Amino acid sequence: HADMMHLIFNMIGLVIFGEKVFVNTKSSVWQSPYAMLLIYLGSGICGASGLVGLSHFFDAQWRGRMHKNRHAVTCSNWLCEKVGLNWMTHSAADIYTHLFHADEAIALMHFKFVRRIGASGAVYGVIGARLYTSSFSIWHCTMSILEVLFLIGDISREFSMSSINLSSLVEGLFHGDGIDHTCHAIGLLSGVIISAAVQIVARRRSQNSCQNEQRQNQRIER
């Protein structure tokens, strides 16, 4: 965590949403500590892995820009290659790209090498679990109007401020609030996906329990 306030807010979110997902439920699978660890740690890991993937994606965008500028000044004549003209024009194109797109170069370097705080991505995974269970789980209660309004505003903000290309990366670095909204968004989506997997296990466990009860009842009747 970045500081004590960051820790406190994360703990508040974890208690509020985690209680409704892992405590106030009739499913033994969802009450299991393994389910909580899977969603919490899985979302945090997926959030960090997603940022690594985005780093490669932004790198590819930057290399594509440099390749485009190089291609624009490339001479296809054999004499150009002979005298090394293309080497000079390519170097000039690289200098031009770094000078006139310096903000994107700085934003990319910052995104790749800045110190990350991944705890919030894990907490947003629990929020994603709350979204999923309130909509698709028969063992969980639905969200209140206050929860719905809060999550609509918060999730909309997180996705709208997430970085999806070099331009949004620049906007987030120079005009953002210093919060890694992209990690939050990836953690949220990861929580939803992992919760779907946990729900499948819970449903199968419930079906097996019902079948065992029916067999026992049949044996008693006999």
Coordinates of all heavy atoms in Angstrom, one line a residue, residues 88-142:
M88 N 21.0 7.3 -42.4 CA 20.9 8.7 -42.0 C 19.4 9.1 -41.9 O 19.1 9.8 -40.9 CB 21.7 9.6 -42.9 CG 23.2 9.3 -42.8 SD 24.1 10.5 -43.9 CE 23.7 9.9 -45.5
T89 N 18.6 8.8 -42.9 CA 17.2 9.2 -42.9 C 16.5 8.5 -41.7 O 15.6 9.1 -41.1 CB 16.5 8.9 -44.2 OG1 16.7 7.5 -44.5 CG2 17.2 9.8 -45.3
H90 N 16.8 7.3 -41.5 CA 16.1 6.6 -40.4 C 16.5 7.2 -39.0 O 15.6 7.3 -38.1 CB 16.5 5.1 -40.4 CG 15.8 4.3 -41.6 ND1 16.1 3.0 -41.9 CD2 14.9 4.7 -42.5 CE1 15.4 2.6 -42.9 NE2 14.7 3.7 -43.3
S91 N 17.7 7.5 -38.9 CA 18.2 8.2 -37.6 C 17.5 9.5 -37.4 O 17.0 9.8 -36.3 CB 19.7 8.4 -37.7 OG 20.4 7.1 -37.8
A92 N 17.3 10.3 -38.6 CA 16.6 11.5 -38.5 C 15.1 11.3 -38.1 O 14.5 12.1 -37.4 CB 16.8 12.3 -39.8
A93 N 14.5 10.3 -38.7 CA 13.1 9.9 -38.4 C 13.0 9.6 -37.0 O 12.0 10.0 -36.3 CB 12.7 8.8 -39.3
D94 N 13.9 8.8 -36.4 CA 13.8 8.4 -35.0 C 13.9 9.7 -34.1 O 13.2 9.8 -33.1 CB 15.0 7.5 -34.6 CG 14.7 6.1 -35.3 OD1 13.6 5.8 -35.8 OD2 15.7 5.3 -35.3
I95 N 14.8 10.6 -34.4 CA 15.0 11.8 -33.7 C 13.7 12.6 -33.7 O 13.2 13.2 -32.7 CB 16.2 12.7 -34.2 CG1 17.5 11.9 -33.9 CG2 16.2 14.0 -33.5 CD1 18.7 12.5 -34.5
Y96 N 13.1 12.7 -34.9 CA 11.9 13.5 -35.1 C 10.8 12.8 -34.3 O 10.0 13.6 -33.6 CB 11.5 13.4 -36.6 CG 10.1 13.9 -36.9 CD1 9.8 15.2 -37.0 CD2 9.0 13.0 -36.9 CE1 8.5 15.7 -37.3 CE2 7.7 13.4 -37.2 CZ 7.5 14.8 -37.3 OH 6.2 15.2 -37.6
T97 N 10.7 11.5 -34.3 CA 9.6 10.8 -33.5 C 9.7 11.1 -32.0 O 8.8 11.4 -31.3 CB 9.7 9.3 -33.8 OG1 9.6 9.1 -35.2 CG2 8.5 8.6 -33.0
H98 N 11.0 11.0 -31.5 CA 11.2 11.3 -30.1 C 11.0 12.7 -29.7 O 10.6 13.0 -28.6 CB 12.6 10.8 -29.7 CG 12.7 9.3 -29.5 ND1 13.0 8.5 -30.6 CD2 12.6 8.5 -28.4 CE1 13.0 7.2 -30.2 NE2 12.8 7.2 -28.9
L99 N 11.3 13.7 -30.6 CA 11.1 15.1 -30.3 C 9.7 15.5 -30.3 O 9.2 16.2 -29.4 CB 12.0 15.9 -31.2 CG 13.5 15.9 -31.0 CD1 14.2 16.8 -32.1 CD2 13.8 16.5 -29.6
F100 N 9.0 15.1 -31.4 CA 7.6 15.6 -31.6 C 6.6 14.7 -30.9 O 5.4 15.1 -30.9 CB 7.3 15.7 -33.1 CG 8.0 16.9 -33.8 CD1 9.2 16.8 -34.3 CD2 7.3 18.1 -33.8 CE1 9.9 17.8 -34.9 CE2 8.0 19.2 -34.4 CZ 9.2 19.1 -35.0
H101 N 7.0 13.6 -30.4 CA 6.1 12.7 -29.6 C 6.8 12.4 -28.2 O 6.6 11.3 -27.7 CB 5.8 11.5 -30.3 CG 5.1 11.7 -31.7 ND1 3.7 12.0 -31.7 CD2 5.5 11.7 -32.9 CE1 3.4 12.1 -33.0 NE2 4.5 12.0 -33.7
A102 N 7.5 13.4 -27.7 CA 8.2 13.2 -26.5 C 7.2 12.9 -25.3 O 7.6 12.1 -24.4 CB 9.0 14.5 -26.1
D103 N 6.0 13.4 -25.3 CA 5.1 13.2 -24.2 C 4.7 11.7 -24.2 O 4.6 11.1 -23.1 CB 3.8 14.0 -24.4 CG 3.2 13.9 -25.8 OD1 3.8 13.3 -26.7 OD2 2.1 14.4 -25.9
E104 N 4.5 11.1 -25.4 CA 4.2 9.7 -25.5 C 5.4 8.8 -25.0 O 5.2 7.8 -24.4 CB 3.8 9.3 -26.9 CG 2.4 9.9 -27.3 CD 2.0 9.5 -28.7 OE1 2.8 8.8 -29.3 OE2 0.9 9.9 -29.1
A105 N 6.6 9.2 -25.4 CA 7.8 8.4 -25.0 C 7.9 8.5 -23.5 O 8.2 7.4 -22.9 CB 9.0 9.0 -25.7
I106 N 7.7 9.6 -22.9 CA 7.9 9.8 -21.4 C 6.8 9.0 -20.7 O 7.0 8.3 -19.8 CB 7.8 11.2 -21.0 CG1 9.0 12.0 -21.6 CG2 7.7 11.4 -19.5 CD1 8.9 13.5 -21.4
A107 N 5.5 9.0 -21.3 CA 4.4 8.3 -20.6 C 4.6 6.8 -20.7 O 4.3 6.1 -19.8 CB 3.1 8.7 -21.3
L108 N 5.2 6.4 -21.8 CA 5.5 4.9 -22.0 C 6.5 4.5 -21.1 O 6.4 3.4 -20.4 CB 5.9 4.6 -23.5 CG 6.2 3.2 -23.8 CD1 5.1 2.3 -23.5 CD2 6.7 3.1 -25.3
M109 N 7.6 5.2 -20.9 CA 8.7 4.9 -20.0 C 8.2 4.8 -18.5 O 8.5 4.0 -17.7 CB 9.9 5.8 -20.1 CG 10.6 5.7 -21.5 SD 11.4 4.1 -21.7 CE 12.7 4.3 -20.6
H110 N 7.3 5.8 -18.2 CA 6.8 5.9 -16.9 C 5.9 4.7 -16.6 O 5.9 4.1 -15.5 CB 5.9 7.2 -16.7 CG 5.3 7.3 -15.4 ND1 4.0 6.8 -15.2 CD2 5.7 7.9 -14.2 CE1 3.7 7.1 -13.9 NE2 4.7 7.7 -13.3
F111 N 5.0 4.3 -17.6 CA 4.1 3.2 -17.4 C 4.9 1.9 -17.2 O 4.5 1.0 -16.5 CB 3.2 3.1 -18.7 CG 2.2 2.0 -18.5 CD1 1.0 2.3 -17.9 CD2 2.4 0.7 -19.1 CE1 0.0 1.3 -17.8 CE2 1.4 -0.2 -19.0 CZ 0.2 0.0 -18.3
K112 N 6.0 1.7 -17.9 CA 6.8 0.5 -17.9 C 7.6 0.3 -16.6 O 7.8 -0.8 -16.1 CB 7.7 0.4 -19.1 CG 7.0 0.2 -20.4 CD 8.0 0.3 -21.6 CE 9.0 -0.7 -21.6 NZ 9.9 -0.6 -22.8
F113 N 8.1 1.4 -16.1 CA 9.1 1.3 -15.0 C 8.7 1.9 -13.7 O 9.4 1.8 -12.7 CB 10.4 2.0 -15.4 CG 11.0 1.3 -16.6 CD1 11.1 2.0 -17.9 CD2 11.6 0.0 -16.6 CE1 11.6 1.4 -19.0 CE2 12.1 -0.6 -17.7 CZ 12.2 0.1 -18.9
V114 N 7.5 2.5 -13.6 CA 7.0 3.1 -12.3 C 6.7 2.0 -11.3 O 6.3 0.9 -11.7 CB 5.8 4.0 -12.6 CG1 4.6 3.2 -12.9 CG2 5.5 4.9 -11.3
R115 N 6.9 2.2 -10.1 CA 6.6 1.3 -9.0 C 5.0 1.1 -8.9 O 4.3 2.1 -8.9 CB 7.1 1.8 -7.7 CG 6.9 0.8 -6.5 CD 7.6 1.3 -5.3 NE 7.0 2.5 -4.8 CZ 6.0 2.6 -3.9 NH1 5.5 1.5 -3.4 NH2 5.6 3.8 -3.5
R116 N 4.6 -0.1 -8.9 CA 3.2 -0.4 -8.9 C 2.7 -0.8 -7.5 O 3.4 -1.4 -6.7 CB 2.9 -1.6 -9.9 CG 3.2 -1.4 -11.3 CD 2.2 -0.4 -11.9 NE 2.6 -0.2 -13.3 CZ 2.0 0.7 -14.1 NH1 1.0 1.4 -13.6 NH2 2.3 0.9 -15.3
I117 N 1.4 -0.5 -7.2 CA 0.8 -0.9 -6.0 C -0.4 -1.7 -6.4 O -1.4 -1.2 -6.9 CB 0.3 0.4 -5.1 CG1 1.6 1.3 -4.9 CG2 -0.3 -0.1 -3.9 CD1 1.2 2.6 -4.2
G118 N -0.4 -3.0 -6.2 CA -1.4 -3.9 -6.7 C -2.5 -4.3 -5.8 O -3.4 -5.0 -6.2
A119 N -2.5 -3.8 -4.6 CA -3.5 -4.2 -3.6 C -4.9 -3.8 -4.0 O -5.9 -4.5 -3.8 CB -3.2 -3.6 -2.2
S120 N -5.0 -2.6 -4.6 CA -6.4 -2.1 -5.0 C -6.9 -2.9 -6.1 O -8.2 -3.1 -6.2 CB -6.3 -0.6 -5.4 OG -5.9 0.2 -4.4
G121 N -6.1 -3.4 -7.0 CA -6.6 -4.3 -8.1 C -7.2 -5.6 -7.5 O -8.2 -6.1 -8.0
A122 N -6.6 -6.1 -6.4 CA -7.2 -7.3 -5.7 C -8.5 -7.0 -5.1 O -9.5 -7.7 -5.1 CB -6.2 -7.8 -4.7
V123 N -8.6 -5.8 -4.5 CA -9.9 -5.4 -3.8 C -11.0 -5.2 -4.9 O -12.1 -5.6 -4.7 CB -9.7 -4.1 -3.0 CG1 -11.0 -3.5 -2.5 CG2 -8.7 -4.3 -1.9
Y124 N -10.6 -4.6 -6.0 CA -11.6 -4.5 -7.1 C -12.0 -5.9 -7.6 O -13.1 -6.0 -8.2 CB -11.1 -3.6 -8.2 CG -11.4 -2.2 -8.0 CD1 -10.6 -1.3 -7.2 CD2 -12.6 -1.6 -8.6 CE1 -11.0 0.0 -7.0 CE2 -12.9 -0.3 -8.4 CZ -12.1 0.5 -7.6 OH -12.5 1.8 -7.4
G125 N -11.2 -6.9 -7.5 CA -11.6 -8.2 -7.8 C -12.7 -8.7 -6.9 O -13.6 -9.4 -7.4
V126 N -12.7 -8.4 -5.6 CA -13.7 -8.7 -4.7 C -15.0 -7.9 -5.1 O -16.1 -8.5 -5.0 CB -13.3 -8.4 -3.3 CG1 -14.5 -8.7 -2.3 CG2 -12.1 -9.2 -2.9
I127 N -14.9 -6.7 -5.5 CA -16.0 -5.9 -6.0 C -16.6 -6.6 -7.2 O -17.8 -6.7 -7.4 CB -15.6 -4.5 -6.3 CG1 -15.2 -3.8 -5.0 CG2 -16.7 -3.7 -7.0 CD1 -14.7 -2.4 -5.2
G128 N -15.8 -7.1 -8.1 CA -16.2 -7.8 -9.3 C -17.0 -9.1 -8.9 O -18.0 -9.4 -9.5
A129 N -16.5 -9.7 -7.8 CA -17.2 -10.9 -7.3 C -18.6 -10.5 -6.8 O -19.6 -11.3 -7.0 CB -16.4 -11.6 -6.2
R130 N -18.7 -9.4 -6.1 CA -20.0 -8.9 -5.6 C -20.9 -8.6 -6.8 O -22.1 -8.9 -6.7 CB -19.8 -7.6 -4.8 CG -21.0 -7.0 -4.3 CD -21.9 -7.9 -3.5 NE -23.1 -7.2 -3.0 CZ -24.2 -7.8 -2.7 NH1 -24.3 -9.1 -2.9 NH2 -25.3 -7.1 -2.3
L131 N -20.4 -8.0 -7.8 CA -21.3 -7.8 -9.0 C -21.8 -9.1 -9.6 O -23.0 -9.2 -9.9 CB -20.5 -7.0 -10.1 CG -20.2 -5.5 -9.9 CD1 -19.3 -5.0 -10.9 CD2 -21.5 -4.8 -10.0
Y132 N -20.9 -10.0 -9.7 CA -21.3 -11.3 -10.3 C -22.3 -12.1 -9.5 O -23.4 -12.5 -9.9 CB -20.1 -12.2 -10.6 CG -20.5 -13.5 -11.3 CD1 -20.6 -13.6 -12.7 CD2 -20.7 -14.6 -10.5 CE1 -20.9 -14.8 -13.3 CE2 -21.1 -15.8 -11.1 CZ -21.2 -15.9 -12.5 OH -21.6 -17.1 -13.1
T133 N -22.0 -12.2 -8.2 CA -22.8 -13.0 -7.3 C -24.2 -12.4 -7.1 O -25.2 -13.1 -7.0 CB -22.2 -13.2 -5.9 OG1 -21.8 -11.9 -5.4 CG2 -20.9 -14.1 -6.1
S134 N -24.3 -11.1 -7.1 CA -25.6 -10.4 -6.9 C -26.5 -10.6 -8.1 O -27.7 -10.5 -8.0 CB -25.4 -8.9 -6.6 OG -24.9 -8.3 -7.7
S135 N -25.9 -10.9 -9.2 CA -26.7 -11.1 -10.5 C -26.9 -12.5 -10.8 O -28.0 -12.8 -11.4 CB -25.9 -10.4 -11.6 OG -25.7 -9.0 -11.4
F136 N -26.0 -13.4 -10.5 CA -26.1 -14.8 -11.0 C -26.1 -15.9 -9.9 O -26.2 -17.1 -10.3 CB -25.0 -15.1 -12.0 CG -24.9 -14.2 -13.2 CD1 -24.0 -13.1 -13.2 CD2 -25.8 -14.3 -14.2 CE1 -24.0 -12.2 -14.3 CE2 -25.8 -13.5 -15.3 CZ -24.9 -12.4 -15.4
S137 N -25.9 -15.5 -8.7 CA -25.9 -16.6 -7.6 C -27.2 -16.6 -6.8 O -27.6 -15.5 -6.4 CB -24.7 -16.3 -6.7 OG -24.7 -17.2 -5.6
I138 N -27.7 -17.8 -6.6 CA -28.9 -17.9 -5.8 C -28.6 -17.9 -4.3 O -29.5 -17.9 -3.5 CB -29.7 -19.2 -6.2 CG1 -28.8 -20.5 -5.9 CG2 -30.1 -19.2 -7.6 CD1 -29.4 -21.8 -6.1
W139 N -27.3 -18.0 -4.0 CA -26.9 -18.0 -2.6 C -26.5 -16.7 -2.0 O -26.1 -16.6 -0.9 CB -25.7 -19.0 -2.4 CG -26.1 -20.4 -2.8 CD1 -26.9 -21.3 -2.2 CD2 -25.6 -21.1 -4.0 NE1 -27.0 -22.5 -2.9 CE2 -26.2 -22.4 -4.0 CE3 -24.7 -20.7 -5.0 CZ2 -25.9 -23.3 -5.0 CZ3 -24.4 -21.7 -6.0 CH2 -25.0 -22.9 -6.0
H140 N -26.7 -15.6 -2.9 CA -26.3 -14.3 -2.4 C -27.5 -13.3 -2.6 O -28.3 -13.5 -3.5 CB -25.1 -13.8 -3.2 CG -23.8 -14.5 -3.0 ND1 -23.5 -15.7 -3.6 CD2 -22.8 -14.2 -2.2 CE1 -22.4 -16.1 -3.2 NE2 -21.9 -15.3 -2.4
C141 N -27.5 -12.3 -1.8 CA -28.5 -11.3 -1.9 C -28.2 -10.3 -3.0 O -27.0 -10.2 -3.4 CB -28.7 -10.5 -0.6 SG -27.2 -9.6 -0.1
T142 N -29.2 -9.7 -3.5 CA -29.0 -8.7 -4.6 C -28.5 -7.4 -4.0 O -28.6 -7.2 -2.8 CB -30.3 -8.4 -5.3 OG1 -31.3 -8.0 -4.4 CG2 -30.8 -9.7 -6.0

